[in-house]
Amino acid sequence: MLGLMQDWPLLVHKILDHAALYHANREVVTRTVEGPIHHTTYGEMAPRARRVAHALERRGIKLGDRVATLAWNSYRHMETWYGITGIGAVYHTLNPRLFPDQIVYIANHANDRALFFDTTFTDLVVQIAPKLKNVEFYVALCDREHLPKADLPNLIAYEDFIADADPAFAWKDFDENTACGLCYTSGTTGNPKGVLYSHRSNVLHAMMVAQADAHGLSNKDSVLAVVPMFHANAWALAFEAPMVGAKIVFPGPKFDGASIYELLDTEKVTMTAAVPTVWLMLLQYLEENNLKLPNLNSVLIGGSACPRSMIETFEKKYGVEVIHAWGMTEMSPLGTLGTMKHDIVDLPYEQKLDYKCKQGHAPFGVEMKIVDAEDRELPRDGKAFGRLKVRGPAIAKGYMGGDGKDAFDSEGWFDTGDVATLDPRGYMTITDRAKDVIKSGGEWISSIEIENLAVGHPAVAEAAVIGVVHPKWDERPLLVVVLKEGKTASKDDLLNYLSGKIAKWWMPDDVAFVDELPHTATGKIQKSALREKFGSYRLPTAAE
Amino acid sequence: MLGLMQDWPLLVHKILDHAALYHANREVVTRTVEGPIHHTTYGEMAPRARRVAHALERRGIKLGDRVATLAWNSYRHMETWYGITGIGAVYHTLNPRLFPDQIVYIANHANDRALFFDTTFTDLVVQIAPKLKNVEFYVALCDREHLPKADLPNLIAYEDFIADADPAFAWKDFDENTACGLCYTSGTTGNPKGVLYSHRSNVLHAMMVAQADAHGLSNKDSVLAVVPMFHANAWALAFEAPMVGAKIVFPGPKFDGASIYELLDTEKVTMTAAVPTVWLMLLQYLEENNLKLPNLNSVLIGGSACPRSMIETFEKKYGVEVIHAWGMTEMSPLGTLGTMKHDIVDLPYEQKLDYKCKQGHAPFGVEMKIVDAEDRELPRDGKAFGRLKVRGPAIAKGYMGGDGKDAFDSEGWFDTGDVATLDPRGYMTITDRAKDVIKSGGEWISSIEIENLAVGHPAVAEAAVIGVVHPKWDERPLLVVVLKEGKTASKDDLLNYLSGKIAKWWMPDDVAFVDELPHTATGKIQKSALREKFGSYRLPTAAE
């Protein structure tokens, strides 16, 4: 027997409609590519998004078509998202930080039919346009005055594109499982793979992050969305803020300390979100200029592990609560959030900090388990570590075009490729990437834990630990180190430094000194390349 | 094109599973019918709920079957809900405050196959049992020691019922639109009508109320659910609290000031929810005993309009924020919540209070509009009033068995039967029940507004305003008054009192003094009976 409740599909444009009716005067603020800071409201944005939808429809864009964006966070980018999804087309965020060839591969793999871009990227777009097989027209996110003189087929300024379109255009109706957004993950190996969000997953995900122990945004908040919209949906902020009627502030192209501080200050931002790199720049700027953050209540830090010292500085020096977060493009991206639970919040600060350094706990809607090599579930005791698998309504069940099938099992679990522990309170800690774990005599050694310790040595600029073949133990750890300029340290110096900090059998069997480590386009250490380089390395212990 | 996100149906037992994994040690506290206060946790509750599911299945209860409860708020009642829904059966909350014949009608209309009841209601159950056509067995929510000696077929104590059932019983899998809960509304006329919630609607509704500007519960909260589970799902608290890991406290059968205060105090309650009647008793008790409410942050007041003076007392005297809420059984029940928006929160207190006296604004997931007699949408200007229609994923699209079809239109809107205004900020104010509005010369007069003013007169105990036929104006208002014992007031006294407070053409044409007003079983003034009584009343103005 079915319930007798209304068939009200979860569609993302309903979020903007809600904002326009119930939070009409709430502001959307953007630092534009042109320079000035632009102010609009949800009430003004909704009819402009409908214009985008109408203009796209007139160009023949229809249900299921992919429309790419190569753009900073801005009100126009946000309008574009809602306009695209309002006719059942799919916004496809391209990451401008990738190599041009990767962008071409991704846009062609997705069959993007149009490309909206910020004029910052005009040269890049002109460079790749000849290789974009399916893109029929280009929309520069600017007005006619700022339209670049570029050799691009069917190029039009955004404001001209929507000028005579209907601000009362009716959104299309369709199933809530209709595709809505697309974002490719760039792994450290292989081609990027496309994650295809649905309307349902985006709406549910926004509702999940709006809970008090997740982001918990309210109408009284002003949120600065530093995390890019091309980075896993800007962590849902462009959906969550209008859903709850929070003011949203977009940094456009500027992430330097002075620019971020200016927005935090003038827009009385109460919550913000980005990766540690951005916060390093901000903290340095605050320090140099002796500034405070009186309005800011909390900062969401994700993307990669957040240094303990950064958490401490934000909290102790600036009175800003740090919420450590972890997620993946495949998870929309929310996985876990490091908000403090009732029985932790009153602990002494150092103990609280231990919890803040973990990746956090999962909200309702994210199931997690850790498993061993035979896929048997491991205990949630904070000690056992295993492959982290996740399940939920905003988690991928496959990649665009059937790529990467190995990551999904028959019970619907997605294998994150991470190795983690889960503690009895539900806090998760990433201990490694599964492929980087060192398998020594059937036991696992976490490369990340050793790396994090090694970079604490005053002479070490960067460190990586990889497994190298060993006749007795299968693999043993090799520490690969880049020293800071002008500093010296011997193998023994480094091993002595690690001694006592890790289990004896985790101690690297050798240390290799290199001038630099290989990195991916997004800045991650490319361990696959490192393993290749040291593929035939003979450890001094190999003869034991 | 569909998205590639996981098919993860929204099922309510996933909420309890989440709580058991991520909030295992969070408490569930109950004042039992037997007297003592009982403590358990979500971690202990989940396997007991699975036992209920298993025990029901062994008795032949299957997908879609209705299982009734006649019970106070308690951990056993909550376990019962999750146990029932975990096999796809439907919990059907019976309201013990209804007349026995109404309960019989409802239980038979729903085809309830079993009845779980608190021993408080043993006599009532014994009285109605012979008329309950489909109830096969009775479960008393107690242990064997407290099992009443009652003449009921297949009676068993709850603890015996679940004793040898499997605590690891696997929940059933089914579609998220499967029926989950059932609650009948008792209108002022006609037979009660059944609202049939689905798993999807209950889960989405819990996610809606968990937003910061709705209830906004967090893991750090302790919530006292005074509002009964038989009253529109206890306003979602039995789903929301485990979803976010808040501690939940149940008052069992005791609602008096001393009992409620004791729980607020000993369980360090931070948020609570009930109708004004309960809060009147509590405030009186606090006053008499010179007590404070140091832990309580907010109180949710709904069910009927909350007096301005009560809001002021809670906020000014006790430092407890009042959140005025409005909803209906048909809405799961959330409609609106009176949390303060960003541009109201800093207004002078009296102006804020004006907003707090409104019914509040709708969260994402509740669409609202007001329409005139021809179903044309009216402006959201805070002045125009019209029939309030609502739409959303947790709002009924029909009643059990096809009753009450008139309330649903072809575009999916449910007609609340209320007349309301909507202001530009989205705050809604109920001005009347549609059937009680007085139609004077094509214009509408709000009976409630005049009544609320009339009861402010020191001699008036209770007041009702009804429309009486008028040869020129169709209808004109008649004020029907019950005077306080020992007090006197004339027609002119009362009309003079109203003069200047309402528009001239709203002034009642006459005042009738009566000894008492007719009421429904749940305490509402029965205006239909009143209109019948004054059906042939001749107004002094009728000869004009």
Side-chain angles (χ1 to χ4, degrees):
Chain A
M1 187 172 64
L2 300 185
L4 287 169
M5 304 308 279
Q6 294 186 11
D7 307 310
W8 196 89
L10 305 174
L11 301 175
V12 299
H13 49 262
K14 289 184 180 174
I15 296 174
L16 190 58
D17 284 351
H18 173 78
L21 268 182
Y22 287 95
H23 309 287
N25 64 354
R26 206 64 176 126
E27 278 186 303
V28 178
V29 181
T30 303
R31 183 190 298 283
T32 61
V33 167
E34 293 82 16
I37 290 177
H38 175 274
H39 292 253
T40 183
T41 64
Y42 293 125
E44 291 168 357
M45 177 178 268
R48 281 171 56 90
R50 286 175 189 263
R51 282 179 197 261
V52 176
H54 186 209
L56 286 168
E57 195 190 49
R58 290 191 305 195
R59 294 278 185 138
I61 300 294
K62 50 187 200 311
L63 190 89
D65 285 347
R66 271 77 73 198
V67 176
T69 65
L70 193 69
W72 303 116
N73 293 6
S74 77
Y75 69 104
R76 287 188 180 122
H77 196 178
M78 184 167 164
E79 289 166 6
T80 301
W81 273 19
Y82 281 95
I84 292 168
T85 60
I87 57 169
V90 180
Y91 66 84
H92 176 199
T93 47
L94 295 169
N95 183 344
R97 291 173 186 156
L98 297 178
F99 299 116
D101 280 353
Q102 280 183 302
I103 300 177
V104 168
Y105 170 85
I106 290 170
N108 286 335
H109 188 270
N111 287 319
D112 295 332
R113 287 192 58 194
L115 174 58
F116 286 64
F117 66 99
D118 265 327
T119 54
T120 321
F121 307 116
T122 304
D123 289 350
L124 172 61
V125 174
V126 169
Q127 180 192 345
I128 63 175
K131 299 178 197 158
L132 299 180
K133 289 184 271 186
N134 309 292
V135 174
E136 297 161 27
F137 60 97
Y138 291 82
V139 181
L141 291 161
C142 59
D143 56 20
R144 190 178 302 182
E145 191 191 335
H146 294 89
L147 184 67
K149 302 217 180 330
D151 181 21
L152 288 169
N154 303 314
L155 173 63
I156 186 170
Y158 178 85
E159 295 298 336
D160 287 338
F161 182 69
I162 67 169
D164 64 343
D166 183 2
F169 176 79
W171 304 124
K172 301 291 177 192
D173 269 328
F174 37 78
D175 188 280
E176 68 183 25
N177 291 301
T178 299
C180 174
L182 178 61
C183 185
Y184 279 68
T185 58
S186 55
T188 47
T189 55
N191 279 320
K193 296 186 286 289
V195 179
L196 192 61
Y197 309 109
S198 67
H199 281 260
R200 172 182 165 101
S201 70
N202 272 351
V203 172
L204 287 175
H205 182 260
M207 294 177 83
M208 281 156 56
V209 300
Q211 292 186 21
D213 293 315
H215 302 174
L217 283 181
S218 102
N219 170 269
K220 291 185 272 295
D221 279 305
S222 166
V223 60
L224 175 63
V226 183
V227 54
M229 291 166 74
F230 58 75
H231 185 106
N233 294 316
W235 303 350
L237 294 175
F239 302 121
E240 181 192 8
M243 179 178 275
V244 303
K247 170 174 166 177
I248 191 163
V249 184
F250 292 125
K254 293 204 169 173
F255 302 94
D256 61 286
S259 300
I260 295 296
Y261 175 77
E262 186 193 1
L263 291 177
L264 292 175
D265 182 48
T266 58
E267 302 304 331
K268 299 201 186 316
V269 169
T270 57
M271 196 268 225
T272 181
V275 295
T277 327
V278 172
W279 304 128
L280 274 177
M281 293 190 289
L282 175 70
L283 289 174
Q284 196 178 338
Y285 180 79
L286 294 175
E287 181 71 29
E288 286 166 5
N289 296 277
N290 197 23
L291 296 166
K292 295 285 169 198
L293 298 168
N295 299 303
L296 194 62
N297 298 322
S298 62
V299 54
L300 201 67
I301 305 185
S304 55
C306 178
R308 192 176 177 102
S309 60
M310 181 180 284
I311 301 177
E312 254 189 299
T313 306
F314 265 119
E315 302 206 324
K316 284 190 164 166
K317 182 159 184 186
Y318 297 101
V320 174
E321 187 187 0
V322 169
I323 302 171
H324 198 186
W326 171 85
M328 295 180 77
T329 303
E330 289 89 338
M331 298 177 76
S332 292
L334 176 62
T336 53
L337 283 139
T339 44
M340 294 295 93
K341 293 203 171 189
H342 70 102
D343 50 357
I344 293 171
V345 72
D346 294 325
L347 290 179
Y349 188 71
E350 284 301 314
Q351 278 171 265
K352 255 170 78 169
L353 203 48
D354 289 343
Y355 279 95
K356 287 190 178 252
C357 288
K358 291 169 180 264
Q359 265 67 31
H361 50 92
F364 175 77
V366 177
E367 289 185 86
M368 292 190 158
K369 67 174 181 181
I370 47 172
V371 299
D372 66 13
E374 276 75 44
D375 208 34
R376 287 176 302 221
E377 192 167 346
L378 293 166
R380 294 162 193 261
D381 58 9
K383 289 173 202 133
F385 57 98
R387 290 182 83 99
L388 179 66
K389 292 187 152 193
V390 294
R391 206 160 61 172
I395 297 173
K397 67 176 173 188
Y399 293 105
M400 189 87 177
D403 293 341
K405 282 201 176 73
D406 293 354
F408 306 92
D409 73 20
S410 60
E411 286 178 320
W413 294 93
F414 166 64
D415 186 335
T416 61
D418 280 315
V419 172
T421 62
L422 290 168
D423 78 13
R425 288 192 173 91
Y427 285 82
M428 185 272 285
T429 307
I430 301 273
T431 57
D432 218 335
R433 290 291 294 166
K435 60 182 182 306
D436 299 336
V437 157
I438 296 142
K439 285 99 178 169
S440 172
E443 298 289 331
W444 287 4
I445 297 172
S446 162
S447 64
I448 290 180
E449 210 167 318
I450 306 175
E451 288 162 7
N452 287 347
L453 287 166
V455 293
H457 187 283
V460 173
E462 210 173 8
V465 174
I466 54 171
V468 171
V469 284
H470 189 283
K472 180 172 178 191
W473 302 105
D474 294 338
E475 278 185 5
R476 286 295 300 161
L478 169 70
L479 172 61
V480 187
V481 163
V482 179
L483 290 177
K484 285 182 186 161
E485 235 178 278
K487 302 267 180 171
T488 55
S490 68
K491 167 182 168 178
D492 283 349
D493 289 342
L494 293 174
L495 295 183
N496 285 337
Y497 178 78
L498 293 177
S499 180
K501 297 190 175 80
I502 50 174
K504 260 193 183 158
W505 65 277
W506 281 35
M507 285 294 283
D509 281 23
D510 202 3
V511 180
F513 295 90
V514 295
D515 291 337
E516 57 177 359
L517 293 173
H519 291 97
T520 67
T522 51
K524 299 175 195 163
I525 295 177
Q526 209 171 0
K527 291 212 178 162
S528 55
L530 212 54
R531 276 191 291 266
E532 204 169 307
K533 181 174 173 180
F534 288 94
S536 54
Y537 191 82
R538 191 176 158 81
L539 290 167
T541 53
E544 270 174 18
Chain B
M1 186 171 64
L2 301 185
L4 287 169
M5 304 308 278
Q6 293 185 12
D7 308 311
W8 196 88
L10 305 175
L11 301 174
V12 299
H13 48 262
K14 289 183 181 175
I15 297 174
L16 190 57
D17 284 350
H18 173 78
L21 268 183
Y22 287 96
H23 309 287
N25 63 352
R26 206 65 176 125
E27 278 186 303
V28 178
V29 181
T30 303
R31 183 190 297 284
T32 60
V33 168
E34 293 81 15
I37 291 177
H38 174 275
H39 292 252
T40 182
T41 62
Y42 293 124
E44 291 169 356
M45 176 177 267
R48 281 172 56 91
R50 286 176 189 263
R51 280 177 197 261
V52 175
H54 186 210
L56 286 168
E57 196 191 48
R58 288 190 307 194
R59 293 277 185 140
I61 300 294
K62 51 187 198 312
L63 190 89
D65 286 346
R66 272 77 74 200
V67 176
T69 65
L70 192 70
W72 304 116
N73 294 4
S74 76
Y75 70 102
R76 287 190 180 121
H77 195 177
M78 183 166 164
E79 288 166 6
T80 301
W81 274 18
Y82 281 95
I84 293 169
T85 60
I87 56 169
V90 180
Y91 67 84
H92 175 200
T93 47
L94 294 169
N95 183 344
R97 291 174 185 154
L98 297 179
F99 299 117
D101 280 354
Q102 280 183 302
I103 300 178
V104 169
Y105 170 86
I106 291 170
N108 285 335
H109 189 271
N111 289 319
D112 294 332
R113 287 191 60 195
L115 175 58
F116 286 64
F117 66 98
D118 265 326
T119 53
T120 320
F121 306 117
T122 303
D123 289 350
L124 172 61
V125 173
V126 168
Q127 181 192 344
I128 63 176
K131 299 178 196 160
L132 299 180
K133 289 184 272 188
N134 308 292
V135 175
E136 297 161 27
F137 61 96
Y138 291 82
V139 181
L141 292 160
C142 59
D143 56 19
R144 191 179 298 182
E145 191 192 336
H146 294 89
L147 184 67
K149 301 213 179 332
D151 181 20
L152 288 169
N154 303 313
L155 173 64
I156 187 170
Y158 178 84
E159 296 298 337
D160 286 339
F161 182 70
I162 67 170
D164 64 342
D166 183 3
F169 177 79
W171 303 124
K172 301 290 176 191
D173 269 327
F174 36 79
D175 188 280
E176 68 183 26
N177 291 301
T178 300
C180 172
L182 178 61
C183 186
Y184 279 67
T185 59
S186 55
T188 47
T189 56
N191 279 320
K193 296 187 286 289
V195 179
L196 192 62
Y197 309 108
S198 67
H199 281 261
R200 172 182 165 103
S201 71
N202 272 352
V203 172
L204 286 175
H205 182 261
M207 294 177 83
M208 282 156 58
V209 301
Q211 292 187 20
D213 293 315
H215 302 175
L217 283 182
S218 102
N219 169 268
K220 291 186 271 296
D221 279 305
S222 166
V223 60
L224 175 64
V226 184
V227 54
M229 291 166 74
F230 57 75
H231 184 106
N233 293 319
W235 303 350
L237 294 175
F239 301 120
E240 181 192 8
M243 180 178 275
V244 303
K247 170 175 168 177
I248 191 163
V249 184
F250 292 126
K254 294 207 170 173
F255 301 96
D256 61 285
S259 299
I260 295 295
Y261 174 78
E262 186 194 359
L263 291 176
L264 291 175
D265 182 48
T266 57
E267 301 304 332
K268 299 204 186 314
V269 169
T270 57
M271 197 267 224
T272 180
V275 295
T277 328
V278 172
W279 304 128
L280 275 177
M281 293 190 289
L282 175 70
L283 290 173
Q284 198 179 335
Y285 179 80
L286 295 174
E287 181 71 28
E288 285 166 7
N289 296 277
N290 197 24
L291 297 165
K292 295 286 170 196
L293 297 168
N295 298 304
L296 194 62
N297 297 322
S298 63
V299 54
L300 202 67
I301 305 186
S304 56
C306 176
R308 192 175 176 102
S309 60
M310 181 180 285
I311 300 177
E312 254 188 299
T313 306
F314 265 118
E315 302 205 324
K316 285 188 164 167
K317 184 159 182 186
Y318 297 101
V320 174
E321 187 186 0
V322 169
I323 302 171
H324 198 184
W326 171 87
M328 296 180 75
T329 303
E330 290 88 338
M331 299 175 76
S332 294
L334 177 62
T336 54
L337 283 140
T339 43
M340 294 295 93
K341 293 203 169 187
H342 70 103
D343 50 356
I344 293 171
V345 72
D346 294 326
L347 290 180
Y349 188 72
E350 284 300 315
Q351 277 169 265
K352 253 170 78 169
L353 203 48
D354 290 344
Y355 279 95
K356 287 190 176 254
C357 288
K358 292 169 180 265
Q359 265 67 30
H361 51 92
F364 174 76
V366 177
E367 289 186 85
M368 293 191 155
K369 67 174 181 181
I370 48 172
V371 299
D372 66 13
E374 276 75 46
D375 208 34
R376 286 176 303 221
E377 191 167 346
L378 292 166
R380 295 165 192 257
D381 58 9
K383 289 172 200 132
F385 57 98
R387 292 181 81 97
L388 179 66
K389 291 186 152 193
V390 293
R391 206 160 60 173
I395 296 174
K397 67 176 174 188
Y399 293 106
M400 189 86 178
D403 293 340
K405 283 202 174 69
D406 294 355
F408 306 91
D409 73 19
S410 60
E411 284 178 320
W413 293 93
F414 166 64
D415 186 335
T416 62
D418 281 316
V419 172
T421 62
L422 289 168
D423 78 13
R425 287 193 175 88
Y427 285 83
M428 185 272 284
T429 308
I430 301 274
T431 59
D432 219 336
R433 289 291 296 167
K435 61 182 182 304
D436 299 335
V437 156
I438 296 141
K439 285 97 179 173
S440 171
E443 298 289 333
W444 288 5
I445 296 172
S446 160
S447 63
I448 290 179
E449 209 166 320
I450 307 175
E451 288 162 7
N452 286 347
L453 287 166
V455 292
H457 187 282
V460 173
E462 210 174 7
V465 174
I466 56 169
V468 170
V469 285
H470 189 284
K472 183 172 175 190
W473 302 106
D474 294 338
E475 278 185 4
R476 286 295 300 160
L478 169 69
L479 173 60
V480 187
V481 164
V482 179
L483 291 177
K484 285 182 186 163
E485 235 178 278
K487 301 268 181 171
T488 56
S490 69
K491 167 181 170 179
D492 284 351
D493 289 342
L494 294 175
L495 294 183
N496 285 337
Y497 178 79
L498 294 177
S499 178
K501 296 191 176 77
I502 51 174
K504 259 194 182 156
W505 65 277
W506 281 36
M507 284 294 282
D509 281 22
D510 204 2
V511 180
F513 294 90
V514 295
D515 291 337
E516 57 175 0
L517 292 173
H519 291 98
T520 66
T522 50
K524 299 175 193 164
I525 295 176
Q526 209 172 359
K527 290 212 177 164
S528 55
L530 212 55
R531 276 192 290 268
E532 203 171 305
K533 181 175 173 178
F534 288 93
S536 55
Y537 191 82
R538 191 175 157 81
L539 291 166
T541 54
E544 270 175 18

